[in-house]
């Protein structure tokens, strides 16, 4: 299935998030190498989980680019998780609204684009099945 413009832009943004997670993995590995960790086991586990997350987010990006629904679903879940982290950054004793905004604004934009891509994919699927885009149920019999 061909991906529309909103899907392509969303795929690029999700890909950038995946690259950001990969960069975070590198930072974690450098901290481990420098001995800048409280617990080596926890630091290694965090680095591995971050790398797995980065691979998943990049895979979502590729799938969105190719028009696959599982990529859009995974991308939407990713954006909701980022928004949860942004909310956490905006509240609590160590709240930092600038970090919260830096996380929330791109996540909201990407979320909207992914939802638009889902809508457009649904319309394209209905067209392939032969039903009209804006036709109401029962309208053909009038």
């Amino acid at each position: 299935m061909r991906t529309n413009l909103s899907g392509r832009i969303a795929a690029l943004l999700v890909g950038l998030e995946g690259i950001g997670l990969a960069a975070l993995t590198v930072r974690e590995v450098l901290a481990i190498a420098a001995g800048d960790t409280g617990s080596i086991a926890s630091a290694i586990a965090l680095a591995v989980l971050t790398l797995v997350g980065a691979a998943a987010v990049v895979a979502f990006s590729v799938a969105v680019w190719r028009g696959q629904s599982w990529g859009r679903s995974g991308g939407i879940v990713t954006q909701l998780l980022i928004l949860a982290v942004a909310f956490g950054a905006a509240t609590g004793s160590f709240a930092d609204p600038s970090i919260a905004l830096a996380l929330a604004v791109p996540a909201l934009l990407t979320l909207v684009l992914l939802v638009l891509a889902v809508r457009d994919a649904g319309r394209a699927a209905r067209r392939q099945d032969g039903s009209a885009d804006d036709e109401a149920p029962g309208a053909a019999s009038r």
Side-chain angles (χ1 to χ4, degrees):
M1 175 180 291
R2 188 165 184 266
T3 306
N4 56 8
L5 181 61
S6 61
R8 293 287 168 121
I9 295 170
L12 291 173
L13 292 174
V14 172
L16 287 174
E17 292 169 346
I19 291 169
L21 279 172
L24 185 59
T25 303
V26 170
R27 181 184 176 278
E28 291 169 355
V29 169
L30 291 175
I32 292 169
D36 192 22
T37 60
S39 166
I40 191 74
S42 294
I44 291 171
L46 182 61
V48 169
L49 288 174
T50 306
L51 182 61
V52 169
V57 173
V58 168
F60 296 152
S61 173
V62 171
V64 171
W65 187 269
R66 293 180 177 173
Q68 297 172 322
S69 66
W70 66 270
R72 293 186 297 267
S73 300
I76 288 171
V77 170
T78 300
Q79 302 321 303
L80 294 176
L81 291 171
I82 293 170
L83 288 171
V85 171
F87 179 73
T91 60
S93 57
F94 299 106
D96 189 344
S98 62
I99 291 176
L101 277 175
L103 291 170
V105 171
L108 282 172
L109 173 65
T110 307
L111 179 63
V112 168
L113 290 169
L114 286 166
V115 170
L116 290 174
V118 168
R119 182 198 63 185
D120 293 340
R123 286 181 177 170
R126 282 193 303 276
R127 278 195 298 270
Q128 278 185 338
D129 291 343
S131 60
D133 211 14
D134 296 322
E135 194 173 290
S141 62
R142 288 187 217 157

